[in-house]
């Protein structure tokens, strides 16, 4: 099946069904990438797949509060083309989580869901962006320990 299995865990992405009896809801954890304001953080993702998965993309949202141009601060919704029109059934949940991880390293200020973060990045005020993103990482993403294998 195209659902991620525990053996598919890598060092930066952890995936499990939220409920063993319901493979349409998953919990993901991703590690904040080194060299970013998210470094050292563990971010929880809520992953929902429809009965049309893998033909349709999963719905992935941050549960952990994160300050990022492409993440809605209130809902955790993620603006990422591969979770919308660029989705391919060849992708799995693991790959989708890796794409979210890559987005943390490479914010796209042209399609912001968080206007404040988008304006900072677009305006070239990376110091303000990094400081704010770091503050939220320390406050919200240093709570969960990475699961033991």
């Amino acid at each position: 099946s195209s659902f991620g299995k525990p053996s598919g865990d890598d060092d930066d992405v952890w995936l499990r069904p939220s409920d063993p009896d319901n493979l349409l809801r998953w919990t993901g954890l991703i590690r904040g990438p080194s060299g970013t304001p998210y470094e050292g953080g563990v971010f929880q993702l809520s992953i929902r797949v429809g009965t049309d998965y893998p033909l349709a993309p999963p719905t992935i949202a941050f549960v952990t509060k994160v300050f990022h141009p492409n993440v809605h601060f209130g809902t955790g919704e993620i603006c990422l083309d591969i979770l919308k029109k660029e989705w391919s059934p060849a992708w799995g949940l693991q790959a989708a989580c890796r794409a979210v991880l890559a987005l943390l390293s490479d914010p796209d200020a042209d399609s912001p869901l968080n206007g404040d973060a988008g304006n900072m990045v677009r305006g070239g005020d990376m110091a303000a962006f990094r400081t704010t993103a770091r503050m939220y990482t320390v406050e919200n993403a240093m709570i969960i320990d990475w699961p033991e294998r």
Side-chain angles (χ1 to χ4, degrees), residues 41-62:
V42 175
F43 298 86
Q44 185 178 342
L45 302 172
S46 154
I47 303 162
R48 291 197 324 270
V49 294
T51 50
D52 50 358
Y53 173 85
L55 296 178
T59 301
I60 302 181
F62 277 91

Side-chain angles (χ1 to χ4, degrees), residues 35-141:
T36 72
Y38 311 105
E39 183 172 355
V42 175
F43 298 86
Q44 185 178 342
L45 302 172
S46 154
I47 303 162
R48 291 197 324 270
V49 294
T51 50
D52 50 358
Y53 173 85
L55 296 178
T59 301
I60 302 181
F62 277 91
V63 175
T64 307
K65 283 265 182 249
V66 60
F67 186 79
H68 186 285
N70 309 112
V71 180
H72 189 284
F73 191 72
T75 64
E77 179 193 347
I78 301 165
C79 180
L80 184 59
D81 53 2
I82 73 116
L83 295 179
K84 308 274 190 293
K85 63 185 184 303
E86 298 296 318
W87 174 255
S88 158
W91 289 69
L93 296 183
Q94 188 86 11
C97 288
R98 289 218 67 85
V100 172
L101 190 60
L103 187 68
L104 287 180
S105 298
D106 189 23
D108 176 9
D110 293 330
S111 57
L113 283 173
N114 179 328
D116 292 339
N119 289 338
M120 287 175 184
V121 172
R122 214 175 16 242
D125 194 351
M126 293 307 287
F129 167 69
R130 283 194 194 98
T131 302
T132 308
R134 185 69 194 159
M135 179 188 77
Y136 281 105
T137 298
V138 169
E139 280 183 8
N140 300 285

Side-chain angles (χ1 to χ4, degrees), residues 14-33:
W14 180 93
L15 270 173
R16 294 290 183 277
S18 303
D19 170 357
D21 299 324
N22 178 0
L23 291 180
L24 299 180
R25 291 184 176 273
W26 290 67
T27 297
L29 297 177
I30 57 174
R31 283 188 202 268

